[in-house]
Amino acid sequence: MGSRPAQQFADPFHVIAPTGYAVMQAQVAQGTATAAAPLLTVRDVSVVFGGITALNGVSFDMQKGQVLALIGPNGAGKTTLFNCLSRLYQPSAGDILMDGVSILTRPPHRISEIGIGRTFQNVALFPNLSVLDNARVGAHSHTNSDIISDSLRLPRSRSVEVAINKKVLRILDYLELTHLAHTNVAGLPFGTQKRVELARALATDPTILLLDEPAGGLNHEEVYVLGDLVKRIRDERHITVLLVEHHMGMVMKIADHIVVLNFGRKLAEGTPKQIQNDPEVLKAYLGDTAK
Amino acid sequence: MSTVQETFATTKSPSTELPAGKSNALGRNLSLLILLVMLVVPLFVRNFVIFQITMVLIYGIAVLALNILTGGSGQFSLGQSAFYALGAYTSGILMEHLGVNYALTLPVAGMVCFAAGFLFGFPALRLSGIYLALATFALAVAMPQLLKLGIFEHWTGGVQGLVVTKPDAPFDLPISQDAWLYYFTLAVTLVIYITSIFLLKSRSGRAMMAIRDNEIAASAMGVDVSLYKTLAFGISAGITGIAGGLGAIAVQFVAPDSYTIQLAIALFLGMVVGGVGWLPGSFAGAAFIVFVPNLAEEISKGLSGAFFGVLLLVVIYLVPHGAKQVATFAESLIDKLRKT
Ligand SMILES: Nc1ncnc2c1ncn2[C@@H]1O[C@H](COP(=O)(O)OP(=O)(O)OP(=O)(O)O)[C@@H](O)[C@H]1O
Ligand SMILES: [Mg+2]
């Protein structure tokens, strides 16, 4: 760590100044923070694995319409928090509220129906299914069918299928995946697989979209495009985004609000500007040598 | 807990690595051609061969049922013989003790086995991969012994089993009993094959395949993993039960020792030879388990088992993805020929 070039110490986040629009959005989001009730509340959440405390009393609020970035060094507990929101992990303490109601009584498969959709850090697609079928599974939670009408292809089952296809084809189109609809996902390039995962998550009709390192493994241009896409998803589809990302350029550009985790604790919280100038955050990212 | 992270990182067991292909069915033209051949075949062959082809269809249904479970939902079973036996006895008892029409016994056998499979699916939820295979293995081993139990003897006929009457062709049709049973079986097979394909191509089927490919992602998409896993067990057992009922009618006899673990292993082989997850392959696999043992016996009476093993190894070595691979290859060959 100590042998990094000095240049990087001066600018650890490769900061791109927030655009006027993003600043405005952030102000809007902050304005509502005091007025409206938060969409999502994480309250004193702790998670312990054996001896490791992966999360230690983490609290923050997320407002409707925000892009909230969750950042922090490797092992800080970001994915662990996502897995709590998906109910894959049970917090040992604390609560998570959506619209004021605890989600911790729900089984994992009943999370997407209240509007929490997600992607995974290492891409968790269904490798033997086509792009189209992957996205169709995303539409599972807000449709209904039974094995009898599905086996006999009764009108009930057919109309469900029509509705699913209509929604999903539109999403594939939105993400420019239409030409790959019938391709198996296993052989697709990593960047495309990430887009398929995004399509699948959008097909769940999320109110809140959890993106775990969407820029991981993407090249420069792809990251740039992705940043725009995330903002478009927020603005055009009115989806609130919780973003975990190491790519600071992208975070500073699109986030309205940032929560910083370090060793399972919340280190800081604020606007991109505040975070960039927070001495605690700089220290966590650069180690003690930054003093 | 670390399994969660592993699942994110790795793709699943080798059985689910199918060669790329767009569907789990055959094309329409090819399907119709095969159906046509199946319809006229009895006119040209001896009754014994008709009987053998009937058995291929029946075992084909049972292999297809296993394929829905393993290829569809990613769960293993070495216990299919138990559900086959349950279906066979249900049909046999209904026909011989209660005088129910043979055709009507099949839906009952299907429902009884669906219920049994669904219930078995619950404890099976806690097991995965090889442990699930072991639990189903135990079921297969226990079944013949249960059927021999004294308390059921009045109904099951104990060790002796039950003799089942072979049905005549209805409406005084001028065809042999064997030919009639063949057409009846063919009709049942068609219904099961088509509904199975409908199922796999529906919302429910996709939910099962999603579970097969990645349980955690499936549940994050709102798929009730426990429900669809137990449903898959129920459906698979139900279809196997119908095959068992048909088998009882065709063989005219049910006895505990017809349904040993050997049958379960044969069905498993049939699935592998046909191609895991590819429904039409089930019938190719069934043909393999019906005809290849005979072939091995013709090569050498004393060493038929060894020759069967060698033939099996050759097939698995040459085409690890089974009949599905052959079909994919043939398809691409035809495509090439068309272009030139
Ligand atoms: N299932 C688990 N079992 C045991 N320990 C775990 C598990 N999941 C996470 N941890 C531990 O919890 C801590 C936080 O991990 P987490 O994956 O949440 O970090 P992260 O912030 O997402 O890191 P990265 O940026 O590398 O993705 C780490 O020490 C990790 O080893
Ligand atoms: Mg992570």
Side-chain angles (χ1 to χ4, degrees):
Chain A
M1 273 283 196
S3 61
R4 282 236 205 105
Q7 190 66 39
Q8 281 202 322
F9 288 104
D11 186 9
F13 295 128
H14 319 292
V15 173
I16 297 170
T19 58
Y21 174 74
V23 170
M24 197 187 74
Q25 278 289 339
Q27 284 164 348
V28 169
Q30 286 224 310
T32 52
T34 44
L39 178 59
L40 186 82
T41 304
V42 174
R43 188 185 290 160
D44 292 325
V45 167
S46 296
V47 175
V48 181
F49 296 115
I52 306 167
T53 305
L55 285 178
N56 194 347
V58 171
S59 298
F60 63 89
D61 282 344
M62 191 158 129
Q63 304 300 329
K64 199 165 168 41
Q66 265 184 343
V67 172
L68 191 152
L70 191 61
I71 64 171
N74 293 111
K78 305 178 296 291
T79 300
T80 303
L81 184 73
F82 266 34
N83 287 341
C84 291
L85 287 166
S86 304
R87 299 285 296 119
L88 297 175
Y89 295 165
Q90 177 72 25
S92 53
D95 203 353
I96 299 173
L97 311 169
M98 176 147 169
D99 282 325
V101 182
S102 174
I103 67 165
L104 296 186
T105 51
R106 290 182 168 266
H109 69 271
R110 306 214 32 205
I111 285 298
S112 72
E113 71 186 22
I114 55 169
I116 300 180
R118 75 171 288 179
T119 65
F120 294 86
Q121 183 166 349
N122 298 313
V123 177
L125 287 168
F126 309 120
N128 296 305
L129 298 188
S130 66
V131 169
L132 184 59
D133 278 342
N134 267 276
R136 280 165 164 166
V137 175
H140 185 90
S141 62
H142 49 76
T143 48
N144 229 318
S145 71
D146 58 89
I147 52 168
I148 306 276
S149 49
D150 277 350
S151 302
L152 300 176
R153 226 172 246 186
L154 298 182
R156 183 177 138 73
S157 166
R158 256 184 273 175
S159 65
V160 165
E161 203 68 356
V162 168
I164 291 177
N165 285 343
K166 202 168 136 192
K167 159 181 301 254
V168 163
L169 288 174
R170 228 184 266 154
I171 291 170
L172 291 189
D173 190 46
Y174 187 74
L175 295 177
E176 291 162 28
L177 287 166
T178 310
H179 61 292
L180 295 172
H182 295 286
T183 315
N184 264 32
V185 296
L188 294 174
F190 192 66
T192 314
Q193 292 199 2
K194 292 210 134 183
R195 227 158 2 116
V196 177
E197 230 196 355
L198 188 56
R200 187 180 68 179
L202 287 179
T204 65
D205 259 349
T207 317
I208 301 176
L209 182 57
L210 314 178
L211 301 175
D212 199 348
E213 302 198 18
L218 302 191
N219 67 31
H220 233 67
E221 194 196 331
E222 287 172 327
V223 172
Y224 188 83
V225 173
L226 179 71
D228 277 350
L229 181 62
V230 172
K231 268 165 73 174
R232 269 176 55 211
I233 286 173
R234 191 266 310 270
D235 297 337
E236 296 172 12
R237 306 181 86 93
H238 311 292
I239 294 172
T240 306
V241 178
L242 181 56
L243 173 73
V244 164
E245 191 43 75
H246 283 296
H247 196 287
M248 286 308 147
M250 176 174 162
V251 168
M252 294 302 161
K253 195 174 131 202
I254 69 173
D256 306 309
H257 194 78
I258 297 178
V259 171
V260 187
L261 292 183
N262 192 27
F263 292 116
R265 286 178 184 278
K266 186 171 81 175
L267 193 65
E269 173 170 17
T271 61
K273 215 175 198 152
Q274 289 165 346
I275 294 303
Q276 278 164 41
N277 298 319
D278 189 310
E280 285 291 315
V281 177
L282 292 176
K283 204 169 99 185
Y285 265 82
L286 300 169
D288 283 340
T289 48
K291 271 183 202 166
Chain B
M1 269 314 224
S2 66
T3 49
V4 173
Q5 291 202 323
E6 273 164 33
T7 327
F8 291 159
T10 56
T11 44
K12 270 209 157 170
S13 54
S15 71
T16 57
E17 280 171 24
L18 316 172
K22 274 176 199 151
S23 88
N24 23 35
L26 288 175
R28 173 165 301 181
N29 291 341
L30 186 56
S31 305
L32 288 177
L33 182 71
I34 290 174
L35 181 59
L36 199 72
V37 172
M38 296 298 282
L39 282 173
V40 296
V41 141
L43 307 177
F44 302 104
V45 296
R46 285 173 296 131
N47 270 346
F48 180 66
V49 178
I50 296 179
F51 169 75
Q52 279 186 315
I53 303 175
T54 306
M55 289 314 291
V56 169
L57 291 178
I58 292 170
Y59 285 135
I61 295 173
V63 174
L64 178 141
L66 180 57
N67 234 331
I68 290 179
L69 186 68
T70 305
S73 81
Q75 302 178 93
F76 286 97
S77 171
L78 280 173
Q80 298 300 95
S81 59
F83 300 118
Y84 191 95
L86 195 58
Y89 270 88
T90 305
S91 280
I93 289 169
L94 284 175
M95 283 169 72
E96 298 313 312
H97 284 291
L98 304 171
V100 179
N101 176 282
Y102 63 97
L104 297 181
T105 66
L106 296 183
V108 181
M111 281 187 280
V112 167
C113 291
F114 176 88
F118 192 73
L119 291 178
F120 183 81
F122 275 105
L125 282 176
R126 305 198 158 267
L127 307 167
S128 61
I130 139 170
Y131 300 102
L132 179 58
L134 274 180
T136 54
F137 177 84
L139 187 67
V141 171
M143 189 50 98
Q145 294 174 351
L146 292 178
L147 293 170
K148 286 177 194 165
L149 281 184
I151 40 167
F152 303 130
E153 194 161 344
H154 169 69
W155 295 98
T156 59
V159 183
Q160 256 80 54
L162 284 174
V163 176
V164 178
T165 331
K166 201 168 202 173
D168 287 319
F171 320 119
D172 298 322
L173 287 177
I175 54 173
S176 68
Q177 281 181 324
D178 284 315
W180 164 245
L181 197 62
Y182 169 81
Y183 283 118
F184 178 71
T185 305
L186 184 61
V188 174
T189 307
L190 264 183
V191 171
I192 289 177
Y193 178 70
I194 292 171
T195 50
S196 300
I197 285 184
F198 280 176
L199 178 71
L200 286 188
K201 287 186 173 177
S202 72
R203 174 178 174 277
S204 307
R206 282 192 303 268
M208 289 176 195
M209 292 187 287
I211 292 170
R212 171 199 70 193
D213 278 9
N214 193 325
E215 264 184 42
I216 287 162
S219 94
M221 296 306 126
V223 174
D224 185 342
V225 173
S226 312
L227 175 70
Y228 282 97
K229 276 184 145 181
T230 38
L231 275 178
F233 244 105
I235 292 166
S236 176
I239 295 176
T240 309
I242 294 175
L246 276 170
I249 299 166
V251 179
Q252 300 168 62
F253 182 55
V254 291
D257 292 326
S258 321
Y259 311 112
T260 59
I261 182 76
Q262 261 194 317
L263 173 62
I265 293 172
L267 295 175
F268 193 83
L269 275 185
M271 174 177 70
V272 174
V273 170
V276 181
W278 192 56
L279 296 190
S282 307
F283 297 92
F288 186 90
I289 60 177
V290 169
F291 291 118
V292 174
N294 294 350
L295 189 70
E297 196 137 315
E298 271 169 37
I299 298 174
S300 157
K301 274 230 146 45
L303 286 174
S304 63
F307 276 101
F308 180 76
V310 170
L311 286 169
L312 184 65
L313 280 178
V314 168
V315 168
I316 289 175
Y317 183 74
L318 290 180
V319 278
H321 294 292
K324 163 143 199 175
Q325 205 171 345
V326 178
T328 318
F329 177 72
E331 232 172 44
S332 63
L333 204 67
I334 291 168
D335 271 357
K336 256 185 218 156
L337 288 178
R338 269 196 196 150
K339 272 177 196 146
T340 52

